[in-house]
Amino acid sequence: MTPPRTPQIPVVVLAGFLGSGKTTLLNHLLRNRAGTRIGVIVNDFGAIEIDAMTVSGQVGSTVSLGNGCLCCAVDASELDTFLETLTRPSARLDVIVIEASGLAEPQELVRMLLASDNPHILYGGLVEVVDAAEFDATRQRHPELDRHLAVADLVVLNKTDRVGEAERERLLATVAELSGPAAVISAEHGRIDPELLFDAALRPDHEEMAGQLSFEDLLRQEECDEHEECDGHSGHLHAAYESVDFTADLPMDPRRFMAFLDSRPDGLYRIKGFVDFGAGDRDNTYALHAVGRFLRFAPRPWARGEQRLTQLVMIGAGIDADALHEGLAACRAEPGPDAPDIERAMWGVLRYVPEPALDGHTDADPREAAAEV
């Protein structure tokens, strides 16, 4: 029997020009992590404030942020070294966020992640933060912004409280045009739902005392008092995106399912879950991880007595839940012994990914996607 896979830690690249609000967004994630242990890598040489601590941008510095979070200030050339440090079992991290320098080329960090030999990491997406109030001026000063948007998996139009509604709609339309299939959401003060980027840890955080307000709770309450975002549904962060669940008790036809993934709609940022391919591979369920244009399958042996289901969660902005359900329902295989060969189908899933690898955020050899354990 194939041994279980070692869990891989998603690595999210957080990019955006100086002043766009990357650090504010990062602080928000740290304050609303819901027990998730976050590793932070700062690719910068300035000063950055994280949870009321000032981390000097000296190459090689590592600072504990408390509550299981770590921060490293590194040069890009040392990225692999710090990823190795943060992915050690003793760190017990659930997700790693790399805050790119405001003048960095984020696609280079993405290339490094995709080319990394570290078996403990998984690409978690490129998030580009944009300042709504300064968007036009930033494009004039930094025309490369268009290129950054074109390779992003998620775009956060930040500081929308500084523009009117008509201007916000214009900016959303412009950013959506420049970013292609990427999901685009608007935010104020960097407040986005962490579920967009990572899943809350399922295990309890034993280092925090139950029944007492933690430092994290106090910070969150302070944000509520300051921004009045915690009362009523209008301020809920999940209002910026949709989360769609799908469950099927019939196996999925591999070719139909790959065709669905090939044509998945713009704005569908994340897909996660497990897929049953029935007769195509009776021994394994397939873990599916998709973020933006990046896609990976990994087989896992069925547990004894486990119910054979396909269970998926899809997260995005501006997506049509009914259309997604209809499209996936049409992928269910008809009962019978003649299901398509899984290996050929898996090869077909990545045919659409263009070269170079960055454009499709894919693995080096797509044939390994079906056999990776």
Side-chain angles (χ1 to χ4, degrees), residues 303-314:
R304 180 174 299 179
E306 181 179 357
Q307 187 176 7
R308 301 201 170 201
L309 297 173
T310 291
Q311 296 178 301
L312 299 172
V313 176
M314 295 158 285

Side-chain angles (χ1 to χ4, degrees), residues 26-47:
L26 180 57
N27 283 335
H28 170 76
L29 295 178
L30 291 170
R31 292 169 174 174
N32 295 273
R33 61 187 183 84
T36 301
R37 301 174 73 90
I38 304 175
V40 179
I41 296 178
V42 182
N43 171 222
D44 208 343
F45 292 97

Side-chain angles (χ1 to χ4, degrees), residues 106-112 114 123 126 151 153 293-294 353-362:
Q107 59 265 46
E108 292 305 316
L109 289 173
V110 174
R111 289 184 196 277
M112 293 177 68
L114 295 177
Y123 178 66
L126 169 59
V151 299
D153 299 302
R293 290 164 287 250
F294 176 85
V353 176
E355 294 292 340
L358 172 65
D359 296 331
H361 299 340
T362 186

Side-chain angles (χ1 to χ4, degrees), residues 83 138 143 244 330-331 351:
L83 285 173
T138 302
V244 180
C331 296
R351 286 180 306 154

Side-chain angles (χ1 to χ4, degrees), residues 48 79 192 251 256:
I48 174 172
L79 182 59
I192 67 171
R256 294 179 195 169

Side-chain angles (χ1 to χ4, degrees), residues 89-344:
S90 58
R92 297 175 57 229
L93 295 180
D94 300 300
V95 64
I96 296 171
V97 179
I98 300 176
E99 184 183 13
S101 164
L103 298 177
E105 286 290 340
Q107 59 265 46
E108 292 305 316
L109 289 173
V110 174
R111 289 184 196 277
M112 293 177 68
L113 290 176
L114 295 177
S116 174
D117 294 327
N118 189 326
H120 305 297
I121 66 170
L122 185 65
Y123 178 66
L126 169 59
V127 180
E128 182 76 18
V129 184
V130 175
D131 184 339
E134 301 294 332
F135 178 73
D136 293 326
T138 302
R139 286 185 74 193
Q140 289 184 349
R141 293 194 307 271
H142 301 287
E144 61 270 28
L145 174 59
D146 289 9
R147 183 174 67 251
H148 297 179
L149 290 171
V151 299
D153 299 302
L154 172 68
V155 179
V156 178
L157 182 65
N158 195 27
K159 304 185 183 181
T160 53
D161 54 307
R162 296 179 56 194
V163 299
E165 183 63 24
E167 177 68 358
R168 173 181 169 275
E169 293 300 322
R170 180 189 74 84
L171 291 171
L172 283 172
T174 301
V175 169
E177 181 179 358
L178 294 171
S179 59
V184 181
I185 62 171
S186 60
E188 299 178 8
H189 308 285
R191 300 194 303 270
I192 67 171
D193 195 324
E195 185 182 356
L196 276 166
L197 305 186
F198 52 81
D199 303 320
L202 296 178
R203 52 166 173 69
D205 193 335
H206 297 293
E207 296 179 1
E208 295 180 6
M209 297 293 292
Q212 297 185 23
L213 280 178
S214 66
F215 180 59
E216 180 181 297
D217 296 325
L218 294 173
L219 285 171
R220 187 182 301 113
Q221 185 59 51
E222 181 182 327
E223 285 192 345
C224 290
D225 294 340
E226 180 180 354
H227 303 301
E228 300 180 357
E229 66 174 3
C230 300
D231 294 326
H233 291 280
S234 61
H236 284 189
L237 300 177
H238 62 241
Y241 71 94
E242 295 81 38
S243 180
V244 180
D245 299 335
F246 175 82
T247 300
D249 54 6
L250 285 177
M252 306 298 278
D253 179 285
R255 294 195 181 281
R256 294 179 195 169
F257 187 64
M258 303 316 169
F260 169 83
L261 293 175
D262 188 22
S263 60
R264 58 192 188 273
D266 294 353
L268 183 54
Y269 174 59
R270 292 181 68 197
I271 309 176
K272 55 186 178 179
F274 294 89
V275 185
D276 174 18
F277 286 112
D281 187 347
R282 295 193 184 279
D283 295 329
N284 294 293
T285 179
Y286 280 76
L288 170 59
H289 168 77
V291 55
R293 290 164 287 250
F294 176 85
L295 180 65
R296 174 177 288 179
F297 282 92
R300 173 182 65 79
W302 290 104
R304 180 174 299 179
E306 181 179 357
Q307 187 176 7
R308 301 201 170 201
L309 297 173
T310 291
Q311 296 178 301
L312 299 172
V313 176
M314 295 158 285
I315 299 173
I319 56 178
D320 186 333
D322 291 337
L324 288 175
H325 274 284
E326 291 175 5
L328 285 168
C331 296
R332 291 177 295 187
E334 297 295 332
D338 299 322
D341 178 76
I342 189 68
E343 181 71 27
R344 288 185 292 107

